[in-house]
């Protein structure tokens, strides 16, 4: 039987081997365990194995699990899902990271609502690298302007960029979409923004993302198993 522990070790081996193949080291790449739809007990089980960074897509789930796991003080919550303005307050109070900022209004609210006793909210801009009109994420051409505006917000620390490529893309197209995010990041760094995070790669494509420079992979299925989506997944 595959336990969460053995699946997690398998993912760590995949990361290490992909890093070696690309001439990188595994400690350059953070594993974010995406626990959406799984209960707080599954998060606790993986936490007890040593995993610390967890990702959630839905504000209500983030809130409920953060509450259930209050006794794990060094557990780090990342919010990676679509964010509406009426939900920013909960995320600002609960998460250490937000990966899905795609407009200034959301960033401004998160900064305003970040509780004073917490460090700045670590932020990534979600970029629409696939060109699909249905996808969330800022257009690549508008990223620089948004990034510069976010840098002026006192309670946000801009760390980098996130993308969700087109799920129908072939390997070559996927690589091109990951490369687009990396190139954008390099452009922003050339403009003086101190960005160190490329949030890209999931269960099915983490090797390719690591080859293209990912510093953080977001992995759900390969750790926790298939999700029972109950119609809430997009
Ligand atoms: C669900 C999700 C993941 C994890 O996807 P898997 O294919 O299960 O690894 C990563 N990133 C985002 C934004 C997600 O919504």
């Amino acid at each position: 039987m595959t336990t969460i522990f053995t699946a997690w070790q398998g993912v760590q081996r995949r990361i290490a081997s992909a890093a070696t193949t690309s001439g990188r080291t595994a400690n350059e790449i953070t594993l974010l365990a995406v626990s959406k739809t799984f209960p707080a007990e599954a998060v606790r089980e993986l936490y007890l194995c040593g995993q610390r960074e967890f990702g959630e897509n839905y504000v209500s789930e983030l809130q409920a699990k953060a509450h259930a796991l209050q006794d794990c003080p060094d557990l780090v919550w990342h919010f990676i899902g679509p964010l509406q303005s009426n939900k920013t307050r909960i995320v600002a109070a609960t998460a250490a990271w937000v990966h899905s900022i795609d407009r200034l209004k959301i960033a401004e609210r998160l900064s305003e609502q970040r509780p004073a006793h917490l460090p700045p909210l670590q932020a990534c801009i979600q970029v629409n690298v696939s060109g699909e009109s249905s996808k969330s994420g800022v257009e690549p051409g508008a990223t620089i302007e948004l990034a510069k505006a976010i840098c002026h917000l006192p309670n946000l620390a801009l760390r980098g960029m996130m993308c969700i490529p087109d799920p129908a893309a072939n390997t070559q197209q996927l690589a091109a979409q990951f490369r687009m995010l990396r190139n954008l990041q390099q452009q922003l760094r050339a403009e003086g923004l101190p960005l160190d995070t490329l949030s890209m790669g999931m269960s099915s494509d983490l090797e390719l993302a690591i080859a293209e420079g990912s510093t953080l992979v977001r992995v759900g299925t390969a750790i926790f198993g298939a999700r029972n989506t109950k119609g809430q997944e997009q």
Side-chain angles (χ1 to χ4, degrees):
M1 202 188 97
T2 312
T3 62
I4 288 178
F5 177 63
T6 53
W8 176 66
Q9 285 185 311
V11 170
Q12 287 182 316
R13 273 196 299 275
R14 283 176 61 189
I15 293 171
S17 134
T20 306
T21 306
S22 317
R24 307 178 60 198
T25 56
N27 62 15
E28 294 171 33
I29 299 142
T30 300
L31 170 57
L32 178 65
V34 177
S35 44
K36 66 181 176 206
T37 78
F38 289 94
E41 291 67 45
V43 175
R44 185 182 297 278
E45 183 179 345
L46 193 56
Y47 173 88
L48 292 172
C49 298
Q51 175 70 28
R52 288 294 176 267
E53 318 274 329
F54 290 88
E56 287 289 339
N57 274 61
Y58 308 102
V59 174
S60 54
E61 272 195 71
L62 170 70
Q63 192 175 28
K65 287 178 215 178
H67 183 75
L69 297 162
Q70 279 177 98
D71 58 322
C72 308
D74 55 348
L75 193 161
V76 181
W77 289 110
H78 295 237
F79 186 77
I80 62 174
L83 189 48
Q84 268 108 43
S85 16
N86 62 345
K87 300 278 177 66
T88 49
R89 190 175 296 279
I90 296 167
V91 172
T94 311
W97 283 73
V98 177
H99 293 230
S100 45
I101 293 178
D102 61 0
R103 53 198 194 278
L104 186 57
K105 185 185 172 200
I106 293 289
E108 287 171 341
R109 289 178 67 91
L110 288 169
S111 182
E112 275 163 25
Q113 295 168 345
R114 181 69 168 169
H117 67 279
L118 293 177
L121 188 57
Q122 309 298 299
C124 289
I125 294 176
Q126 182 175 350
V127 182
N128 180 353
V129 291
S130 68
E132 296 167 276
S133 54
S134 61
K135 268 278 165 65
S136 36
V138 66
E139 291 308 310
T143 308
I144 295 196
E145 195 187 334
L146 178 58
K148 287 184 171 167
I150 289 175
C151 286
H152 293 298
L153 299 175
N155 300 320
L156 250 52
L158 187 64
R159 298 292 297 274
M161 257 107 50
M162 182 273 252
C163 73
I164 306 173
D166 177 359
N170 63 34
T171 303
Q172 225 175 352
Q173 291 165 330
L174 266 180
Q177 292 175 18
F178 289 142
R179 206 165 305 146
M180 182 189 289
L181 200 70
R182 183 191 196 162
N183 289 340
L184 258 180
Q185 165 114 314
Q186 277 164 357
Q187 250 177 284
L188 294 184
R189 279 157 72 146
E191 300 260 342
L193 305 186
L195 307 182
D196 61 6
T197 301
L198 274 179
S199 168
M200 57 189 201
M202 310 196 272
S203 292
S204 59
D205 57 16
L206 67 90
E207 284 84 1
L208 193 56
I210 289 169
E212 297 297 339
S214 171
T215 66
L216 184 152
V217 291
R218 310 178 308 269
V219 180
T221 310
I223 296 175
F224 293 104
R227 284 181 291 276
N228 176 2
T229 58
K230 296 177 239 145
Q232 65 175 339
E233 188 105 43
Q234 327 139 57

